[in-house]
Amino acid sequence: MRLVTFRAHPTAAARLGALAEGYVIDLALLGCAGGVDLPDDMLAFIDLGPVAVAQASKLMEAYRGAWPVGTALPQENVKLLAPIPRPRKNIFGIGLNYVEHVAESSRTLDTSADLPKQPVIFSKPPTTVIGPGDAIEHNAKITQQLDWEVELAVIMGRRASRVAEADALSYVFGYSVMLDMSARDCRRAGQWIYSKGQDTYAPFGPCIVTADEIPDPQVLDLWLTVNGERKQGSNTRHMLFKVPFLISDISAGITLEPGDIIATGTPEGVGAGRKPQEWLWPGDVVVACVEGIGTLRHPVVAV
């Protein structure tokens, strides 16, 4: 399934939906029609685990093409929000996880040219999250070096503590697209949280594709454009530390919980690594895509 959080109109409450045939299907209402109690909130749905996914999938197939009245809204008529508009915890970010990105970062940033021997982990606060189409804020009083990074996001589905790498993917709920926006001139004493943790610095969406539809997260193309010009293009097979290893490594010391998000790193092509360096400015438009999941499009605005 392709799960979304949406508003039916600007003042409506956020609700859980699924994309199908150009419509957003309200899963809680679909559940009512089918005699199944489904939540109207993404985190509550994730908390229910595989049972909820199986129930919703069964209902989607049963009613496909003949949706009960009031359950199907044309996608163009709704506002998609971030799939998890307010994560419960900080997002786990992974730095320097593609070989060529390690090289380009070492040329212009305060990072080593040596490949990391362990995942480089940082975090982004929940307040960084914005949904599809929302504006990325450019605060010229804080940064003159706003940069882009397209990433595959992993959403956890089960509590994971000291998980073996071989079992790690069974703990994944699904996958999405995330932009790890970075103010390169806001790095402080080697720490990245202020650089990467400012408001609007984690565009997220447009949906969560459940893990059953992406059996191998290491075969996905991902790319990014700025104002229509391609800046990044790679494949998740080029990750230094693959998704199962990341889950195993983090969970060795930090318990991962349902709804937790891991942004798995970006490939080469960021603005900081270009000659001359390139930065985002108000009026720019960033488009990011991960194969099989979807596309994000975000304007940059001055604040």
Side-chain angles (χ1 to χ4, degrees):
M1 284 189 299
R2 307 174 72 82
L3 299 171
V4 297
T5 297
F6 72 97
R7 293 189 196 277
H9 55 81
T11 60
R15 294 183 65 83
L16 172 67
L19 300 178
E21 302 174 334
Y23 292 94
V24 174
I25 312 303
D26 188 310
L27 285 181
L29 293 181
L30 187 67
C32 288
V36 177
D37 186 16
L38 291 176
D40 60 7
D41 172 79
M42 184 72 77
L43 284 172
F45 187 83
I46 293 172
D47 286 342
L48 291 176
V51 171
V53 174
Q55 289 176 328
S57 296
K58 185 176 180 179
L59 287 171
M60 291 288 289
E61 287 306 312
Y63 287 107
R64 190 173 299 274
W67 306 109
V69 174
T71 63
L73 302 171
Q75 187 173 338
E76 63 269 20
N77 292 349
V78 307
K79 166 63 176 172
L80 295 185
L81 309 178
I84 303 174
R86 175 76 181 200
R88 292 174 177 141
K89 293 156 52 177
N90 280 21
I91 297 160
F92 292 90
I94 306 298
L96 305 172
N97 201 28
Y98 287 74
V99 174
E100 293 302 323
H101 181 53
V102 173
E104 69 177 358
S105 296
S106 70
R107 292 192 294 267
T108 55
L109 300 172
D110 56 347
T111 57
S112 172
D114 296 332
L115 297 182
K117 293 180 173 58
Q118 297 173 306
V120 177
I121 304 170
F122 61 93
S123 75
K124 298 170 78 80
T127 47
T128 57
V129 170
I130 58 174
D134 291 345
I136 298 167
E137 295 180 355
H138 185 287
N139 186 344
K141 294 179 180 179
I142 295 177
T143 182
Q144 298 290 307
Q145 296 183 356
L146 181 58
D147 205 349
W148 57 80
E149 297 188 6
V150 58
E151 310 202 0
L152 172 70
V154 177
I155 295 85
M156 300 302 296
R158 292 197 287 147
R159 185 179 186 274
S161 177
R162 302 183 181 93
V163 170
E165 185 176 351
D167 300 327
L169 289 184
S170 69
Y171 289 79
V172 174
F173 176 79
Y175 302 93
S176 192
V177 185
M178 183 165 283
L179 278 162
D180 176 19
M181 305 305 299
S182 304
R184 303 296 187 191
D185 47 356
C186 290
R187 299 152 73 94
R188 297 181 176 180
Q191 297 296 312
W192 297 356
I193 190 166
Y194 193 65
S195 167
K196 293 173 172 286
Q198 295 180 35
D199 295 351
T200 75
Y201 277 19
F204 174 33
C207 63
I208 295 174
V209 178
T210 51
D212 58 296
E213 296 195 10
I214 301 180
D216 185 356
Q218 306 302 159
V219 295
L220 306 176
D221 287 337
L222 66 169
W223 54 263
L224 178 144
T225 67
V226 177
N227 301 330
E229 181 179 346
R230 191 177 180 94
K231 301 296 185 182
Q232 291 183 277
S234 189
N235 188 284
T236 55
R237 67 175 175 270
H238 298 304
M239 286 183 190
L240 287 171
F241 302 104
K242 307 299 195 273
V243 172
F245 185 88
L246 293 174
I247 293 170
S248 178
D249 181 69
I250 295 171
S251 72
I254 301 173
T255 298
L256 293 167
E257 297 177 307
D260 281 356
I261 303 166
I262 304 172
T264 57
T266 199
E268 68 278 8
V270 301
R274 294 179 169 270
K275 295 182 180 180
Q277 291 179 321
E278 300 176 14
W279 310 113
L280 293 169
W281 300 100
D284 289 339
V285 176
V286 182
V287 177
C289 180
V290 177
E291 178 186 6
I293 299 174
T295 301
L296 292 173
R297 184 181 187 277
H298 295 273
V300 180
V301 302
V303 294

